[in-house]
Each structure stands twice: as structure tokens, then as C-alpha cells.
Amino acid sequence: MATIVEARSVYKKFRGATVLRGVSLRVGEGEVVGLVGPNGAGKTTLLRVLLGILRRDGGEVWLAGRDPWRDPRARERVGVVFERPSLPSSVPLINVLERAARIKGVSPREARRVIREAGLAGHEWKPFRALSAGLKQRAAIAHALLGDPQVLVADEPTSNLDPVERARILDFLSVLNRDRGITILVSSHVLPEVVRVASKLIVLVGGRVKDAGTPEEVLGGLRLARVRAGDPDGLARFLEEMGFKVSLEGVSVLVESPVQGDLFEALAEASRRGLQVYNVDFVEPGLMEELSSGG
């Protein structure tokens, strides 16, 4: 499997504080990689360094075989979705995407294709400001898909969305990977959601890569999960019905001896049913610090 994104011992400082501390990672062509970690871990900074938006203070970065800071051509086939999407607010979406297509050097007809692909048919003549939060995120993904990207980088793409729309966005990313072969690097603080779509996890804590591998490799030895939820009583009842041994701890639900795949599937189903899951803290052996809802 060819490597399409790579970082080697990357350092980044802000105002004298070191945010990234020797980060090394690889993303293979065709993978869906989840970048997870607690609030302040450096996820957004790392993504911006990988894209060449921020200048690194040390180490090497390669994107599609080029250094993105020195060679803008590295980003030619990379689509980017930021946590808070922002497109021209008063212009009809179709016009925004047609203009973006021209800037990217592709036919304006591509705008209608990505509108259909992103599930925005019927909303194309609405201005961006008139769209719901979920539709705004879909519009941002449609914008990123112009020019047939080889890689899609999504920073917290489900942030501030309701559970149903979060599931739909993640399903859409899975379809893009499965049907189009697009390599996807997605960051999130909601671990069950990432595990639902990712073939590989990169765990970032304190600006360092704590662990990396398949979800089974990274999470297989854990025995106790603390799940913070909007309705802990409702989530506890749901998990008990699914066969898990649970107990309540304030606004959290403790799940004992979870089988990881089964737990993540159960939490994803809970989200689809409207039970909000804010974060998951795997208590043993202490792999993850608590994942903050702040991202």
C-alpha cells in the first residue's frame, strides 16, 4: 500500500509552547484513518501542518509525494473540510460551487454532480446561511469534492450536529472511501464514531502519538469504559438491554469488560436513536485521557 500522507518527527510551537512533539505517522492510499485525542492534544494543528497551512518547526511532511509547505501542488488533489465550514453566506450554493469549480480548473457542471453526491439536491438555490448545520457540513464536503480529490481531510466533521446527521455524515465518508477509493483522514473527539468508519486509529495525546494501529490493536486490551452521555439513565437502560453490565457514575455510564467492537456498534446505534454520546474514556490500561466534547 503506497503512503500518501507522512509525517516524520514533526514539531510545532506557538508562542514558545510546544504543541507537536516529534509526531510521526503514515496514511496509506485508500485507508480511512481516525485521528483521535483529548482536548488540546494538537489534532487541528497537526492537520494544518500536514496540509502545509502551518509551517512546522522541525521534521518532515510529505503529502502525495511533495512537501506541502514548499510545494503547493501537493494540495492539488486534496479536499479539506474544516470543523466550522464557511462559504459565501448570501450566494446560492450552486453559484458558489460553480465558481469554485472554475477556480479549481474543472467544469462548472461538476457543481451539480457534487450537489447530488452530497445529498443536497433541492437545496442548491439556497444561500449557505439558510442551510441547517448538517446541510452546511454537506455543502463543505461537496466543495471539497470538486476536482476529484485523492485525499479528503476532515477536521471534526460531525461537530455540533445532531446524532442522526452525525451518522449520515460518517456514512457518507464511508461511501466515498468504498465507492470512490478516496483516502480519508478524519479527526474527532467522539471515539465510537471514528471507530465506526476507520480502518486505522492514530491516538494523539499531549502533542505525541500515543498509539497507532487498527481499532482492535489499539483498543483490544481495554476492560472498562466510561461513557459520558446526555441522558445517562437512558443510555444505561439501552446498554443493559444490549447485554452489557453497566453502572451509573454521575453523568457517565461505566461499562465493564466491554468487547470493543460490540460496544462501539451499540453506541453508534444509541446515537442513531437520539441518545447523545459525548465522549468515551477507556479507564484501563489508561490509553486515552478523557475525550473532551470541545475537540
Side-chain angles (χ1 to χ4, degrees), residues 33 35 43-48 51 53 75 77-87 97 104 114 118 120 128 133-146 149 151-161 165 169-170 172-173 176 182-188:
V33 176
L35 178 64
K43 301 188 297 297
T44 295
T45 298
L46 176 59
L47 292 181
R48 290 176 180 266
L51 291 166
I53 297 172
R75 296 192 294 271
R77 295 197 59 196
V78 178
V80 183
V81 181
F82 295 108
E83 179 179 358
R84 293 177 178 84
S86 179
L87 295 174
L97 295 178
K104 292 189 177 186
V114 296
L120 289 163
F128 185 73
L135 292 177
K136 285 180 178 178
Q137 197 62 274
R138 288 174 178 272
I141 296 175
H143 184 273
L145 291 176
L146 289 168
V151 181
L152 183 65
V153 176
D155 187 12
E156 299 277 3
T158 62
S159 179
N160 302 317
L161 301 183
E165 192 59 38
I169 293 294
L170 291 168
F172 182 33
L173 295 180
L176 291 174
I182 297 176
T183 303
I184 295 175
L185 176 58
V186 54
S187 76
S188 179

Side-chain angles (χ1 to χ4, degrees), residues 86-140:
S86 179
L87 295 174
S89 63
S90 59
V91 181
L93 180 60
I94 182 65
N95 293 341
V96 171
L97 295 178
E98 286 175 343
R99 292 174 189 174
R102 292 188 182 96
I103 292 171
K104 292 189 177 186
V106 299
S107 169
R109 291 192 296 271
E110 285 291 289
R112 295 193 178 276
R113 179 184 65 81
V114 296
I115 280 172
R116 291 193 302 271
E117 194 170 19
L120 289 163
H123 302 280
E124 57 265 49
W125 291 105
K126 294 179 181 179
F128 185 73
R129 66 187 178 194
L131 300 177
S132 67
L135 292 177
K136 285 180 178 178
Q137 197 62 274
R138 288 174 178 272

Side-chain angles (χ1 to χ4, degrees), residues 246-274:
V246 303
S247 58
L248 288 172
E249 185 184 79
V251 296
S252 300
V253 180
L254 291 178
V255 187
E256 298 181 29
S257 302
V259 176
Q260 299 306 322
D262 292 347
L263 176 60
F264 295 135
E265 290 173 9
L267 292 177
E269 178 61 26
S271 293
R272 285 192 289 270
R273 297 189 184 191

Side-chain angles (χ1 to χ4, degrees), residues 30 32 152 167-182 184 186 193-199:
V32 180
L152 183 65
R168 288 173 178 166
I169 293 294
L170 291 168
D171 288 344
F172 182 33
L173 295 180
S174 293
V175 168
L176 291 174
N177 173 258
R178 184 190 68 223
D179 295 350
R180 297 262 304 271
I182 297 176
I184 295 175
V186 54
E193 292 186 349
V194 177
V195 173
R196 178 180 169 189
V197 300
S199 55

